[in-house]
Amino acid sequence: MRICCIGGGPAGLYFALLMKKQNPAHEVVVLERNRAGDTFGWGVVFSDQTLAALRAADPQSAAEILDAFNHWDDIAVHIGGETVVSGGHGFCGIGRKQLLSILQRRCMELGVELRYEQDVQDDAGIEADLIIAADGLNSRLRQKYAATYQPDIDLRNCRFVWLGTKKLFDAFTFDFQQTEWGWFQAHAYKFDGETSTFIVETPEAVWQAAGLEQMSKEEGIAFCEKLFAKVLDGHALMSNAAHLRGSAQWIRFPRVVCKTWVHYREPLGLRSAESVPQGERGGSGRPSASANGVAPVVLMGDAAHTAHFSIGSGTKLALEDAIDLARDIAAHEGDLKAALDAYQATRSIEVLRIQNAARNSTEWFENVDRHARLDPQQFAYSLLTRSQRISHENLRLRDARYVGDFERWLARRSGLDATVPPMFTPFKLRELTLKNRVVVSPMAQYSCVDGLPADYHLVHLGARALGGAGLVFAEMTCTSPDARITPGCPGLWNDEQMQGWQRIVENVHQHSSAKIAMQLGHAGPKGSTRVPWHGGEDLPLESGNWPLLAASAQQYLSGISQTAKPMDRADMDRVRDDFVAATQRAAAAGFDWMELHCAHGYLLSSFISPLTNQRQDDYGGSLENRLRYPLEVFRAMRAVWPAERPMSVRISAHDWVPGGTTPEDSVEISAAFKAAGADLIDVSSGQVSKAQKPVYGRMFQTPFSENIRNRVGIATIAVGAISEADHVNSIIASGRADLCAVARPHLANPAWTLTEAARIGYTGPAGLEWPQQYLSGKQQMEREGERQRGAGLAAAEQANKALGV
């Protein structure tokens, strides 16, 4: 096979040596535009876990790379005059130039042809069976075949400059400096015996305000030296980007995602099937893809994808691309197309996983001003867990002392003198104290007749109250018959319903230490639909429909749903008064907490979202106007709800539709409700439009909660794909929310909180109360949790031995 790698970075060099090692008969050439010794980076970082793949793929180069590594375990975070250190992270640093030299030597040993100062503008003159486009971030081949690759390039908000220093850092060091213009941060680590990488980063607006855009290269470096003088201990900063002038050394990171990684082009010379060597044919004896008249151009490394430097995975991904493609080519016995299909299928999934983590990390560093409002201890924890790849228990495995100290610090803030997992610390709002931070989400059950909660809800909510959660929400309860989503929805528009709820509340209070919350809402344009198991969700009733209301005329399901009537002032007065009456009944029933539902496209949400509010009066147009009626309802409810009891609002922080509500809008929405007397924002998203395109993932809505909590200064509930104690502990500990609402896991297991406590080895007593009738089950569950943790630790130790850690 004739292989041409365009680009002599880690991806191109490593793939070249692997293919030549795999079959010495392969003709492999690497075309690199720079000279052999040129490189414009400083050090690169690997985690310990990356090393096993290098050892397996090519032990010779892996041994040399390992010998050149500088290893460290600690991360040090400097902010506000304090330093927080956490250990056990297992990083390795190596100079980029040294890494390339090792790979270049290994290529030459194996017979790979390296050609330098070959600035390939186009692949038109290259005849090969396989072309690897490893030509970097600004790939010309990716641009040429953009119609095939369909790249999505997102230019991020921060400016950064890649520098070096002779100051040797003992830990991976983050240093944060506040200036009159805003926050700057440095990422620093040692990569050889005499040099460290030193990256300086700041948001674009701060960079411009500081005047760096007008500074020369030398002036910009001097600015950074002065700003970070303390952590540099008087050492200078250095640049090796001699080709850049002025402020061009400051760049914005482009996140690159490609839909497709392989383009098939017509080769210069078509060979007949008979002329193709046997080694290039598939298992059936047929020629490879290129021999059949197509020559694949395959993206690799930064040409295919980028991951922000703050998670140190760019070089890791490039080398793993090379390893996987070489393996797939060997596994498919010369059937090149099948190999390339396998390569794209496996690598695109792994890259997406890393890029999701990198996105979280990138956004964290873009919003340091938000996180800097936390205490230094919590700020550092937030930084360590920013990507959501490192969780609370993962941190404990790395550095149990650090986590234990942090848990004690966090518990003291809640009035406890003990080491307690964050999810089991108490939370006080107004005069109400919750025993822990776990909330059973309001989950529609559609199991009432004429809005009356009866035995089903007594058992359903009672079981979850016994299950250990601090707060149990009733499902969205409707304020009038025409406010229901379905005929099976509960109500609170008459005294009989109030008495049904009172029976449930008294049961919760008598048999558990949980608190119980009422959530009031009005379905608006999403009402008068079937119970989901009676023909499908959101579909209108087959008969007996009631008229619908909304901010503006709309159909939730276009061409299917009823058209809701735009509310006039009389409608608004009636609905407001219905909410007030229901609030009074909830107070009389003894509920501990009240929540107003202003999310998910229901009536009040239809006023807030610009997708559904097209009014031309005082209740439409600007966000201030769109909030006017929901705030009117909220204020009227707050006026009759007991002053000592908390009141929250559920909002959709993101409509996930262009032109809809954005996370930035959600800050203004939350601030308005706070000013009206809200104690907490329950932060959800979506369900306003069927055109939504959410970006799902574990804890995917948590960043919206953090944005509101730390910018508005109001307590929040995080919701969405929170399914483990580890998730809850990480969210609470990092200051991303004050409470975590867990939905579907509570449907599968009413005792989810008790089960998770046993699984992580927490036996109480703080924040955890087992019903005395269930204590024998507690002991058995705790033994099972201990057994599972032991098995997990044994597996982790085995993996570490395999990695040589």
Side-chain angles (χ1 to χ4, degrees):
M1 183 186 295
R2 295 166 297 174
I3 301 168
C4 179
C5 297
I6 299 175
L13 289 171
Y14 204 59
F15 181 72
L17 74 85
L18 292 179
M19 290 305 295
K20 193 67 175 175
K21 178 184 175 184
Q22 186 180 112
N23 185 348
H26 289 324
E27 299 174 25
V28 186
V29 61
V30 176
L31 306 179
E32 166 57 36
R33 64 181 176 179
N34 297 309
R35 295 170 299 179
D38 289 346
T39 185
F40 304 110
W42 290 93
V44 296
V45 177
F46 296 147
S47 67
D48 285 340
Q49 285 80 0
T50 307
L51 305 182
L54 298 182
R55 288 196 192 97
D58 184 47
Q60 291 91 328
S61 60
E64 197 171 349
I65 290 169
L66 284 167
D67 286 343
F69 269 138
N70 278 271
H71 184 275
W72 67 91
D73 283 319
D74 290 349
I75 292 177
V77 181
H78 303 280
I79 185 169
E82 296 194 35
T83 299
V84 179
V85 179
S86 167
H89 298 281
F91 288 103
C92 300
I94 184 173
R96 180 177 169 83
K97 186 172 183 177
Q98 190 169 15
L99 175 63
L100 293 179
S101 295
I102 292 169
L103 298 181
Q104 289 163 358
R105 289 196 298 271
R106 181 63 174 146
C107 281
M108 289 187 286
E109 287 174 9
L110 292 167
V112 174
E113 184 181 355
L114 303 180
R115 299 182 194 171
Y116 296 102
E117 299 183 76
Q118 302 290 311
D119 192 7
V120 178
Q121 303 284 337
D122 196 348
D123 64 315
I126 298 174
E127 183 176 2
D129 299 301
L130 175 62
I131 296 173
I132 300 297
D135 51 343
L137 183 61
N138 300 309
S139 170
R140 289 166 176 159
L141 294 187
R142 186 185 67 220
Q143 184 176 356
K144 178 180 179 181
Y145 299 121
T148 299
Y149 299 131
Q150 299 181 55
D152 177 8
I153 301 176
D154 177 21
L155 203 59
R156 299 305 307 184
N157 184 45
C158 281
R159 291 273 180 172
F160 70 96
V161 59
W162 201 292
L163 302 170
T165 179
K166 293 301 181 182
K167 164 69 185 290
L168 298 180
F169 292 91
D170 295 329
F172 196 118
T173 299
F174 295 99
D175 190 78
F176 296 86
Q177 295 295 330
Q178 187 175 24
T179 71
E180 60 186 288
W181 310 286
W183 285 91
F184 285 77
Q185 56 261 13
H187 312 233
Y189 54 90
K190 179 175 65 175
F191 63 82
D192 63 26
E194 56 186 34
T195 322
S196 296
T197 294
F198 199 90
I199 303 170
V200 179
E201 182 185 26
T202 191
E204 170 82 4
V206 177
W207 180 77
Q208 290 181 348
L212 285 158
E213 188 173 15
Q214 285 74 44
M215 293 184 192
S216 67
K217 180 194 295 186
E218 294 73 21
E219 289 170 336
I221 292 173
F223 176 94
C224 295
E225 285 176 348
K226 182 178 179 182
L227 183 59
F228 293 100
K230 185 175 180 180
V231 76
L232 284 168
D233 290 331
H235 289 81
L237 292 173
M238 307 175 291
S239 170
N240 63 4
H243 61 300
L244 297 176
R245 297 287 180 268
S247 62
Q249 64 181 339
W250 292 87
I251 59 177
R252 291 171 65 188
F253 187 86
R255 193 272 290 130
V256 176
V257 178
C258 291
K259 186 173 182 179
T260 304
W261 293 17
V262 182
H263 171 81
Y264 291 96
R265 64 164 203 171
E266 291 296 322
L268 287 178
L270 299 180
R271 297 175 291 165
S272 66
E274 292 74 20
S275 70
V276 178
Q278 184 68 31
E280 290 183 40
R281 302 186 182 192
S284 62
R286 59 189 176 85
S288 69
S290 59
N292 271 327
V294 287
V297 182
V298 183
L299 298 178
M300 187 173 286
D302 282 352
H305 47 71
T306 59
H308 193 258
F309 59 83
S310 63
I311 66 166
S313 292
T315 304
K316 158 193 160 69
L317 288 175
L319 296 175
E320 290 176 351
D321 284 352
I323 292 169
D324 282 8
L325 180 54
R327 180 203 61 209
D328 290 334
I329 289 173
H332 288 85
E333 301 180 13
D335 187 344
L336 189 55
K337 185 175 187 309
L340 296 178
D341 288 346
Y343 165 71
Q344 178 172 306
T346 56
R347 291 305 299 157
S348 59
I349 292 172
E350 171 63 13
V351 166
L352 181 61
R353 186 180 69 84
I354 296 293
Q355 285 185 322
N356 284 339
R359 182 189 68 245
N360 294 333
S361 181
T362 304
E363 291 176 351
W364 194 95
F365 283 105
E366 289 174 341
N367 294 285
V368 168
D369 60 334
R370 181 195 312 167
H371 313 300
R373 302 176 194 190
L374 302 171
D375 289 327
Q377 294 87 344
Q378 197 165 34
F379 177 91
Y381 182 98
S382 177
L383 185 152
L384 292 171
T385 58
R386 67 193 180 278
S387 71
Q388 297 186 7
R389 294 174 68 199
I390 297 177
S391 66
H392 193 73
E393 292 306 312
N394 188 269
L395 271 181
R396 195 189 305 278
L397 285 173
R398 296 174 183 223
D399 191 343
R401 178 204 56 80
Y402 164 76
V403 172
D405 289 346
F406 179 76
E407 286 183 341
R408 281 190 292 275
W409 174 84
L410 198 65
R412 281 196 298 271
R413 297 181 71 200
S414 298
L416 296 178
D417 186 18
T419 300
V420 179
M423 67 185 286
F424 291 110
T425 57
F427 177 68
K428 184 176 181 181
L429 210 55
R430 295 201 180 227
E431 298 304 313
L432 182 72
T433 298
L434 304 180
K435 65 182 176 183
N436 62 47
R437 306 302 183 103
V438 180
V439 175
V440 177
S441 292
M443 294 174 286
Q445 300 297 294
Y446 307 118
S447 298
C448 290
V449 176
D450 296 327
L452 180 64
D455 289 350
Y456 175 83
H457 283 82
L458 182 78
V459 173
H460 168 68
L461 295 172
R464 278 133 194 95
L466 289 170
L471 181 65
V472 177
F473 263 98
E475 66 197 271
M476 188 181 93
T477 299
C478 305
T479 55
S480 61
D482 64 346
R484 291 175 297 169
I485 307 168
T486 75
C489 290
L492 199 43
W493 63 80
N494 62 43
D495 289 345
E496 184 183 10
Q497 293 161 352
M498 185 269 288
Q499 290 162 5
W501 283 119
Q502 185 174 28
R503 175 174 174 243
I504 292 165
V505 169
E506 288 174 351
N507 179 58
V508 168
H509 288 162
Q510 181 179 352
H511 296 292
S512 80
S513 56
K515 306 301 181 184
I516 185 166
M518 167 55 65
Q519 184 189 72
L520 289 178
H522 190 301
K526 296 175 71 173
S528 192
T529 62
R530 306 174 199 176
V531 170
W533 48 85
H534 290 166
E537 192 171 9
D538 298 322
L539 294 176
L541 294 170
E542 294 179 295
S543 63
N545 286 281
W546 53 84
L548 304 182
L549 297 173
S552 303
Q554 70 165 102
Q555 287 181 299
Y556 182 65
L557 297 181
S558 181
I560 298 175
S561 299
Q562 278 190 72
T563 299
K565 171 201 167 188
M567 292 179 75
D568 58 28
R569 188 61 246 186
D571 296 322
M572 296 163 75
D573 290 343
R574 176 179 67 82
V575 168
R576 179 202 61 215
D577 292 346
D578 287 343
F579 271 100
V580 169
T583 302
Q584 291 171 317
R585 289 191 176 96
F591 280 97
D592 303 297
W593 183 301
M594 170 59 67
E595 180 163 287
L596 175 62
H597 202 319
C598 292
H600 301 166
Y602 296 127
L603 181 67
L604 298 178
S605 171
S606 77
F607 276 85
I608 297 172
S609 174
L611 297 176
T612 50
N613 186 335
Q614 305 299 317
R615 299 176 74 101
Q616 302 300 311
D617 60 6
D618 290 343
Y619 300 94
S622 68
L623 179 55
E624 181 182 6
N625 282 356
R626 299 197 308 272
L627 279 167
R628 192 183 302 271
Y629 183 62
L631 287 170
E632 177 185 328
V633 172
F634 177 85
R635 290 191 185 99
M637 293 170 63
R638 179 73 263 185
V640 300
W641 182 247
E644 71 278 6
R645 301 185 207 176
M647 190 164 171
S648 59
V649 182
R650 171 165 272 206
I651 68 167
S652 287
H654 195 334
D655 286 346
W656 302 105
V657 178
T661 299
T662 67
E664 194 64 28
D665 293 331
S666 74
V667 172
E668 188 174 341
I669 293 166
S670 301
F673 278 110
K674 178 185 177 182
D679 302 298
L680 179 144
I681 304 297
D682 188 352
V683 188
S684 187
S685 72
Q687 301 180 55
V688 171
S689 167
K690 285 295 187 182
Q692 69 178 12
K693 293 183 179 179
V695 180
Y696 291 113
R698 59 180 180 174
M699 302 179 284
F700 73 105
Q701 296 179 131
T702 303
F704 307 143
S705 167
E706 180 184 40
N707 185 33
I708 291 167
R709 181 183 189 270
N710 294 328
R711 288 177 66 185
V712 178
I714 189 170
T716 60
I717 298 178
V719 306
I722 300 169
S723 59
E724 300 174 10
D726 222 8
H727 297 165
V728 179
N729 281 325
S730 299
I731 291 167
I732 301 303
S734 60
R736 297 184 175 106
D738 298 275
L739 300 170
C740 288
V742 179
R744 290 178 180 139
H746 272 123
L747 291 179
N749 180 5
W752 180 87
T753 305
L754 302 179
T755 305
E756 287 295 290
R759 192 175 63 80
I760 65 173
Y762 180 65
T763 59
L768 185 69
E769 181 185 18
W770 276 75
Q772 58 185 4
Q773 299 92 332
Y774 296 174
L775 286 177
S776 60
K778 176 178 188 287
Q779 296 162 3
Q780 180 178 348
M781 191 176 290
E782 287 170 352
R783 286 195 297 269
E784 176 62 18
E786 185 176 0
R787 187 191 67 77
Q788 291 177 1
R789 289 192 305 279
L793 284 171
E797 288 176 6
Q798 191 87 6
N800 282 340
K801 286 179 181 177
L803 290 168
V805 179

